Amino acid sequence: MPAPSSDAFNRSPDSRSLNHVNLMVDSFIANARVEDLRATVRILLSSMPPSTAQAFTKAARSRLSSSNASPLPHPQFLFYLDGGVDDPTPTAGLYDILAHARALYGAGMGLTSFGVFASIIRTALGLRWTSFGAAAEAFAVIDGDMCQAIQSSKEEIDSGRGGDLDIARAKVADLRAALKESSDAVSRWGGDFPFDRAAATLDVWKF
């Protein structure tokens, strides 16, 4: 009896693929809970050579910069103002847009994330808050996020992925300007500027 041809093997149900992903693997990706998918990716990347993580982030950058990427959450309603409460309350919209910024700088697109952070800062320009409220806590988190985005941007520039340096400098200048606008606005009502670490880190970065 003749051996099965390679063509017959390639057409078998177990070897079919969708966009170069095995059909069964694609079924898992499409149906797994987000927590399980994240855990699986972390296990895979931690158990493989560094080149695998590099390929993963390259694919992530390709997706995030494509026209099919998820749209940026609308930055208009990031804080809820209740007339009977002194502190503005961060909304789910703020955390949605922060997640988008983290995805960008985590994939090595820190410069692109600067525009997201600048929009958050400018949205909050008219706000006042107490030192220990929900808004202050959110701003402290954002300050740390911006520091990580700056580090991501430095690596982006150093690796040669930053593109046109004049455009990169314009993105840095816009974030620096947003931070200055925030500092000026907060000083006018006697508050504490919440983005000291990011502003200091950005001020000493020259390229």
Side-chain angles (χ1 to χ4, degrees):
M1 180 177 179
S5 69
S6 59
D7 287 343
F9 176 80
N10 289 336
R11 288 195 299 270
S12 68
D14 289 339
S15 62
R16 287 177 296 175
S17 64
L18 296 174
N19 294 328
H20 307 292
V21 176
N22 177 280
L23 181 63
M24 296 304 173
V25 174
D26 191 79
S27 180
F28 168 75
I29 293 171
N31 294 283
R33 294 184 304 169
V34 173
E35 294 82 0
D36 292 334
L37 193 57
R38 287 172 175 162
T40 301
V41 171
R42 289 182 179 120
I43 292 169
L44 174 66
L45 295 178
S46 65
S47 62
M48 299 296 287
S51 58
T52 304
Q54 293 167 3
F56 179 82
T57 53
K58 182 178 180 180
R61 289 192 295 272
S62 176
R63 172 65 186 181
L64 289 170
S65 60
S66 75
S67 59
N68 293 324
S70 300
L72 178 67
H74 200 288
Q76 185 174 358
F77 303 107
L78 304 186
F79 296 91
Y80 172 70
L81 297 175
D82 187 336
V85 179
D86 292 335
D87 252 344
T89 302
T91 67
L94 174 64
Y95 296 106
D96 285 345
I97 201 170
L98 272 179
H100 182 77
R102 289 165 181 161
L104 288 171
Y105 74 65
M109 299 172 66
L111 289 168
T112 302
S113 75
F114 281 4
V116 181
F117 287 114
S119 70
I120 294 173
I121 293 169
R122 290 186 169 115
T123 299
L125 285 179
L127 301 179
R128 297 188 181 192
W129 57 89
T130 61
S131 299
F132 303 101
E137 292 178 2
F139 291 143
V141 170
I142 294 168
D143 191 29
D145 275 316
M146 284 192 287
C147 289
Q148 293 188 65
I150 293 167
Q151 179 59 38
S152 173
S153 299
K154 290 178 179 179
E155 295 172 5
E156 189 176 1
I157 294 292
D158 292 344
S159 68
R161 291 186 287 99
D164 188 313
L165 289 183
D166 287 337
I167 295 176
R169 291 187 182 104
K171 292 177 179 179
V172 173
D174 182 57
L175 180 58
R176 186 178 287 121
L179 288 166
K180 179 65 166 58
E181 292 164 22
S182 176
S183 177
D184 291 344
V186 172
S187 67
R188 283 194 290 270
W189 59 268
D192 294 324
F193 179 54
F195 308 122
D196 276 326
R197 288 184 298 159
T201 303
L202 205 60
D203 281 344
V204 298
W205 183 27
K206 309 295 181 185
F207 65 93

